[in-house]
């Protein structure tokens, strides 16, 4: 119904019939390529990163501590646009998935590429590559969300 006239509007015809199956979305090539990392992928990458670097899952009292930078510490690193478009158009292979890991330490914020990811985990051939030089992003400019500092108390590892 229209909010102003009380007359049925065009959206009424779109209403789901009682007893109809729930709305579901099909898996898409875009989701395969550009979909955010699952919580299992985030934990797996965080654990792999901590094992390789000695980083902590949360900030601790040590002045030399390097830690994963809050809730957005592990995110999808979007694949190159040309490879993504080729895959979406059916003209190329699916680009490998990589994670962007943001760590904080005495040198400031550092970002790394981790991957490729296979089956939700870093592959045996996975590598860790810096995306920024130490000190490029000062601590106060690190990516964060409202309340993220409170969430730093919860370890990702």
């Amino acid at each position: 119904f229209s909010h102003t006239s009380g007359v049925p509007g065009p959206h009424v015809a779109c209403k789901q019939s009682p007893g109809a199956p729930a709305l579901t979305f099909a898996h898409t090539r875009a989701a395969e390529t550009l979909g955010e990392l699952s919580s299992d992928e985030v934990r797996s990458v965080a654990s792999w990163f901590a094992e390789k670097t000695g980083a902590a899952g949360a900030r601790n009292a040590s002045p030399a501590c390097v830690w994963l930078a809050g809730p957005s510490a592990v995110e999808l690193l979007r694949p190159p646009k040309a490879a993504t478009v080729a895959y979406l158009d059916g003209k190329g292979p699916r680009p490998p998935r990589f994670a962007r890991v943001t760590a904080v330490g005495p040198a400031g914020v550092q970002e790394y590429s981790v991957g490729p990811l296979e089956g939700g985990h870093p592959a045996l051939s996975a590598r860790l590559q810096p995306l920024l030089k130490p000190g490029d992003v000062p601590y106060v400019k690190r990516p964060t969300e409202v309340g993220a500092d409170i969430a730093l108390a919860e370890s990702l590892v």
Side-chain angles (χ1 to χ4, degrees):
F1 287 91
S2 168
H3 292 291
T4 56
S5 68
V7 177
H11 61 281
V12 172
C14 295
K15 190 172 182 180
Q16 188 170 346
S17 303
L23 181 63
T24 58
F25 294 92
H27 188 71
T28 66
R29 294 169 78 85
E32 284 179 3
T33 308
L34 300 170
E36 291 300 328
L37 299 178
S38 70
S39 57
D40 288 340
E41 286 175 310
V42 168
R43 284 186 192 92
S44 181
V45 169
S47 294
W48 185 92
F49 182 83
E51 181 183 310
K52 298 291 182 193
T53 65
R59 186 175 188 178
N60 65 37
S62 168
C65 179
V66 173
W67 73 95
L68 294 171
S72 61
V74 180
E75 301 176 312
L76 177 71
L77 179 60
R78 290 193 177 94
K81 184 176 180 177
T84 302
V85 170
Y87 177 67
L88 294 176
D89 288 344
K91 298 176 182 173
R94 186 178 105 195
R97 284 174 66 85
F98 283 80
R100 175 190 308 269
V101 177
T102 304
V104 180
V109 177
Q110 293 178 279
E111 290 186 355
Y112 301 90
S113 167
V114 171
L117 307 179
E118 294 175 357
H121 306 282
L124 292 176
S125 63
R127 58 195 183 280
L128 175 68
Q129 294 184 317
L131 298 173
L132 300 172
K133 290 183 259 170
D136 277 358
V137 178
Y139 176 74
V140 296
K141 300 288 185 180
R142 75 194 189 284
T144 190
E145 301 88 24
V146 175
D149 286 333
I150 295 168
L152 286 174
E154 295 180 29
S155 178
L156 284 174
V157 181

